[in-house]
Each structure stands twice: as structure tokens, then as C-alpha cells.
Amino acid sequence: MSTTTGASAAPFSLGADVLVSGASTLTACPYGASADFAAAYDNTEVEPQVAVNPASPSEMIGVTQQDRWPDGGARGLSSWITHNGGASWTKLPDVPWSGCQGGPTRFGRVTDPWVTYDKAGNAYFIGQPIDSAALGLSAISVTSFDRAAGTWRPPQIIQEDLGDRGVFNDKVSITGDPTRPGYAYATWLRGSYPNDGRQHPIADLHSFAYRGKPMFSRTTDGGLTWSTPVPMRDSNTYMQGNQIAVGPDGTLYDVAANLFTGAGLNDKGVYMGVMTSHDAGLHWSAPAKIAPITFAQLVVPDDDFPIRAEDYLPDIAVDMTSGAVHVVWADGLGTALNKVVLVKSTDGGRHWSGPTVVAAGGAGVQSYNHAIDVSDTGMVTLTYWDDRNNVPGDGIATTDIWVRHSHDGTQTWEPEQHLHGPFNHYTAPVSYFAPGDPRGLFLGDYMGLETISGNDTIAFFTSTGNDGADVHAVRLNHS
């Protein structure tokens, strides 16, 4: 797979860089503090996703975390809507996910926002309410958009666990079906022992029974009801970052990073995998190995301060004409430097090309926070971040966002374009394991990218600003 320039296509015409987010209304909320961290990062919007209404492409909805806590989660989840193709955005009324947003006070925080539309233009918004960053109370909650009222409906909790017995929920995503009106699919990871039971605490440390199950729930009536959650796979795997995409024939593809087989992280079972369903999620294949994955710690080159961002977590996009499936993630490929790589299947996920580096920053440049989408004409668009313009020792973690596209199924790529930046990553919120133990600078584990119509695309991402993190939208126009 070459990364040289294609033969004929023009570059994107980049629209205005629109600041979407504004001041938070949740900064006075009394809920969510922990023994270690009494204050959240006020007015910070991180971890964005965006969706485009296929029935009316000028309408889009974007979502983010609102007021990130240093040790995980946020005071709330915010959402914005545009009716003019991304030229301007309006904040939607809050969903009562958490105590801060008028929801159950047992949920002091909420995390992992995701938004999608189905074929009929029904919009769905999913999140993960939690009580704290510890492995305690966790839930999966979903709402749908009431178009007549212009608001989200009250959220439905489809999974809730107390956090005892080692059970927790994590990394939720939702996918509206582009082939079946009223269908949408929620998936996440649920960590547990068999039968949700624990052994002796010492035995737990050596147990080969613990697993991270890829969970599944669906709606077939536009979000009015959701099926009882079930594991797509219940075995000694730990499938993180589950995300479902739908092919033109209605096949569901769930891609995830399998981070171990047996007890603890190890390099023998670490691979990018995919499961398929041919009956809208009622039955799933066993995980098929796409490629082994190796990932390095992302850092600021100046001082090796860690960056917490999307690395092994995958993004998936399907060409709805040819059926080709594309998956991207950041991989060290056996080195200590992550770069965005791509794999592709043209036979329904049975065989895969790659992984091939598709970030164009050059040797010695780490890349991450990848997003991919395929237009209805087959154009593949890729965005990612890198630090190629960083100047060592200047006290600035210089970061830029880039976009590139292919018109021949990723055989060749058009010249890379600068999308946003430079910005100083040092001013981002910091994610902590514990006080004094930073997990890394955090602007999100994923970014948004979605085709609007034809070859036009919307990029929806976070960047540092005066208050630490803001959401931006840029329309990528292509003739």
C-alpha cells in the first residue's frame, strides 16, 4: 500500500475553524469529588464524537465530556447541534446522566460520550455514568433525540453494576444502522469473573478466569426499548475499545483490541481483532485476529511527560459501495514510537492487509488520535495528531492535527493538509492514576470524523485553549 500522491484529485477546501464549546454550567456542582481530587477542570470539553443525519445532512450532533476530573470521568456530557452544515452550533439541553446534570446522585460523574444516527435519521446518545474513578458503581445509559421537542429523551440505564466482585463497565460506543431504520447497537467492555464471582484476593492475582467481555445491546424501535445486554464473547479475552460498523449487506463488524488471554496483560494474546454478525447482532463469530499490536507510551518529546490519548483503541469505517472495511490505530510496530497504521479487508473481514503506517510525519515523529471515515463515493479520509513541529527545550508541547485522503481505496494518498494548530499540549487537563502519579495529558481517547454528503466531511476535535480544552469543528469540502 503506497503513501504516494494519487493521480487526479484536488485537496480539501478547509472551512472555518469553528469554536463549538463555551462556558460550562456545571462548575458549581457539589457532586463527583474524590478523596484525592476535590476539583475538576472547569470549562474543559474533551473526548468528542460527531454524527451526521443521513436523512438531512445539514444536521449534525457533536458530544463531549464536560469538566473533566483529574482521576477520570467528568461532571457531565454536553451535546451541540447544527442545522447549517457545521457553520454554527447550538448547545442542546443537558441529559440527566449524572447528579450534576439533574440525574441520579449516586452517579457523581459520567464518561465516554458517543453519538450516532440510524438510516431513518433517529439520533442516539450514549454515556457511562459512574460514582467515581475507582472501579465502583458503573452503568451504561442511552437516550434518543425527540425531534419535535428539540431535546433528548430521559436516558435509559441498560446495564448497572455495583463494582463489587471485580465487575465494571468501560469504553462504550453506539452505532446507528445505515441499512435498517430504527436499529442501533451499543457495545462496551464489562470486566468480570465467570458468573460475576470472585475468588480469594490472593487467588485473584493469579487467576486465568478474569475477562473483559465485549457486551452488546440493540434497539429495533428507534431507541424506545433496548435488549437485555449479552456478551458477544464470554471467554478468557479482554476486548477493549469495542466499536461496531455496518457493511452495505447489513453485516455487523465489531473491532476491538484483545489485550490479554489469561491473567494480566501479556504480549502473547495482544492483537487487534474483529467479530462479525450476519443477523443484526443476535449471533457473533469468534474473534478473528487482524494483526498483532504493540504500543508504546505516548510522551512529550521535550521531557517524556506522558500523554494519555487514543493509541491501541481502534476506529473503523466501511465503504458502503464496495464493502471494504478499514481499521486504524496507533502501533509501535515493535518500536518505542507509536504511529497511526491502517489495515483493510475486501472480503468481509476474513483477510486483512497491513498494518501499514499512514501518518505522514516522518521518522521519529509519534502520531495518534486517529479517526477514519469513507464517503459514499469511496473517498477515505484520515485525521491524526503528531508532534513534528515540536521544538525541544522551548517549554511548549507543540502539537498539530493533519488530514489526508485517498480516492483509490488507500492504494495512494493525496498530499497531507494541515487541519488545526499548532497548540500547546502542556496546557491540556492531566489525567492521574493518583496524586503525583500522572497518567498523561488528556484531550480524549478518540476524536470525531464523519462524512456529510458526497465527499464533504466534518472533523470534530478538541484542542487546548485559554481554559485548558475546547471543542472545534472544521468542514472539509471536496469537489
Side-chain angles (χ1 to χ4, degrees):
M1 187 185 303
S2 171
T3 57
T4 58
T5 302
S8 60
F12 282 117
S13 173
L14 302 183
D17 189 324
V18 179
L19 178 63
V20 175
S21 56
S24 171
T25 60
L26 307 180
T27 55
C29 175
Y31 303 113
S34 66
D36 290 331
F37 295 96
Y41 289 101
D42 292 346
N43 299 303
T44 55
E45 296 82 28
V46 300
E47 203 159 72
Q49 264 296 327
V50 70
V52 177
N53 184 352
S56 178
S58 62
E59 178 186 289
M60 313 173 209
I61 295 177
V63 299
T64 70
Q65 293 187 36
Q66 182 66 61
D67 298 355
R68 174 77 181 183
W69 286 95
D71 52 345
R75 289 191 179 114
L77 304 180
S78 290
S79 59
W80 295 265
I81 193 167
T82 176
H83 295 287
N84 56 15
S88 61
W89 298 74
T90 301
K91 189 175 184 299
L92 289 168
D94 281 347
V95 177
W97 304 107
S98 62
C100 288
Q101 293 183 299
T105 57
R106 67 183 183 276
F107 298 131
R109 306 179 183 187
V110 61
T111 189
D112 291 357
W114 205 281
V115 65
T116 189
Y117 285 90
D118 69 20
K119 181 179 181 178
N122 299 303
Y124 308 88
F125 183 8
I126 200 166
Q128 182 186 323
I130 55 178
D131 61 350
S132 68
L135 297 182
L137 182 68
S138 64
I140 305 299
S141 189
V142 63
T143 180
S144 56
F145 192 63
D146 184 336
R147 192 167 303 282
T151 61
W152 297 104
R153 297 182 175 94
Q156 301 177 55
I157 295 175
I158 57 176
Q159 177 88 56
E160 184 172 354
D161 289 290
L162 296 176
D164 56 348
R165 309 181 313 281
V167 178
F168 70 97
N169 300 287
D170 192 28
K171 285 289 177 291
V172 64
S173 68
I174 191 167
T175 302
D177 195 318
T179 69
R180 301 177 181 95
Y183 278 64
Y185 313 107
T187 182
W188 64 96
L189 174 141
R190 186 171 186 266
S192 69
Y193 291 91
N195 301 318
D196 291 348
R198 296 196 70 171
Q199 306 174 54
H200 186 277
I202 300 301
D204 283 347
L205 297 176
H206 305 281
S207 173
F208 284 84
Y210 194 73
R211 68 275 310 268
K213 293 182 287 188
M215 300 297 294
F216 177 83
S217 176
R218 75 177 191 177
T219 181
T220 61
D221 56 14
L224 299 179
T225 61
W226 290 83
S227 64
T228 300
V230 295
M232 290 182 275
R233 186 74 174 174
D234 191 1
S235 61
N236 293 90
T237 56
Y238 193 95
M239 300 188 70
Q240 181 63 290
N242 293 277
Q243 186 184 153
I244 292 172
V246 184
D249 62 353
T251 298
L252 273 57
Y253 300 91
D254 178 71
V255 65
N258 182 18
L259 296 185
F260 68 69
T261 300
L265 291 169
N266 64 69
D267 59 6
K268 295 181 180 179
V270 178
Y271 63 86
M272 192 62 65
V274 65
M275 297 184 294
T276 57
S277 172
H278 299 287
D279 55 11
L282 297 180
H283 303 88
W284 291 87
S285 71
K289 184 175 181 178
I290 294 176
I293 54 176
T294 62
F295 45 91
Q297 174 64 56
L298 296 164
V299 297
V300 178
D302 292 37
D303 58 1
D304 289 338
F305 193 87
I307 297 171
R308 181 188 168 188
E310 186 178 34
D311 42 20
Y312 58 82
L313 296 175
D315 195 26
I316 182 171
V318 179
D319 186 325
M320 294 301 285
T321 299
S322 71
V325 185
H326 306 77
V327 179
V328 291
W329 70 93
D331 201 302
L333 297 177
T335 74
L337 191 75
N338 280 355
K339 287 184 174 293
V340 176
V341 300
L342 178 144
V343 296
K344 176 182 173 182
S345 174
T346 58
D347 60 4
R350 290 183 291 276
H351 301 90
W352 295 84
S353 67
T356 300
V357 174
V358 286
V365 175
Q366 66 183 354
S367 53
Y368 52 97
N369 275 359
H370 40 276
I372 192 168
D373 202 62
V374 185
S375 75
D376 52 14
T377 70
M379 183 185 73
V380 179
T381 301
L382 173 73
T383 58
Y384 52 89
W385 299 19
D386 74 20
D387 56 15
R388 73 184 70 177
N389 292 323
N390 186 67
V391 178
D394 67 352
I396 301 172
T398 301
T399 306
D400 291 273
I401 306 176
W402 305 88
V403 60
R404 63 188 321 203
H405 62 287
S406 171
H407 291 267
D408 57 10
T410 69
Q411 294 183 60
T412 61
W413 292 86
E414 297 304 311
E416 180 189 56
Q417 293 175 258
H418 187 257
L419 177 60
H420 178 84
F423 61 91
N424 184 3
H425 214 145
Y426 276 138
T427 62
V430 180
S431 177
Y432 287 88
F433 292 109
D437 185 9
R439 188 174 179 183
L441 302 165
F442 184 76
L443 289 170
D445 280 335
Y446 44 80
M447 299 291 145
L449 184 72
E450 189 90 0
T451 296
I452 300 171
S453 61
N455 282 339
D456 285 3
T457 305
I458 190 75
F460 197 79
F461 53 87
T462 49
S463 174
T464 59
N466 293 332
D467 54 12
D470 293 305
V471 181
H472 297 251
V474 176
R475 182 165 178 147
L476 313 174
N477 300 294
H478 198 283
S479 57

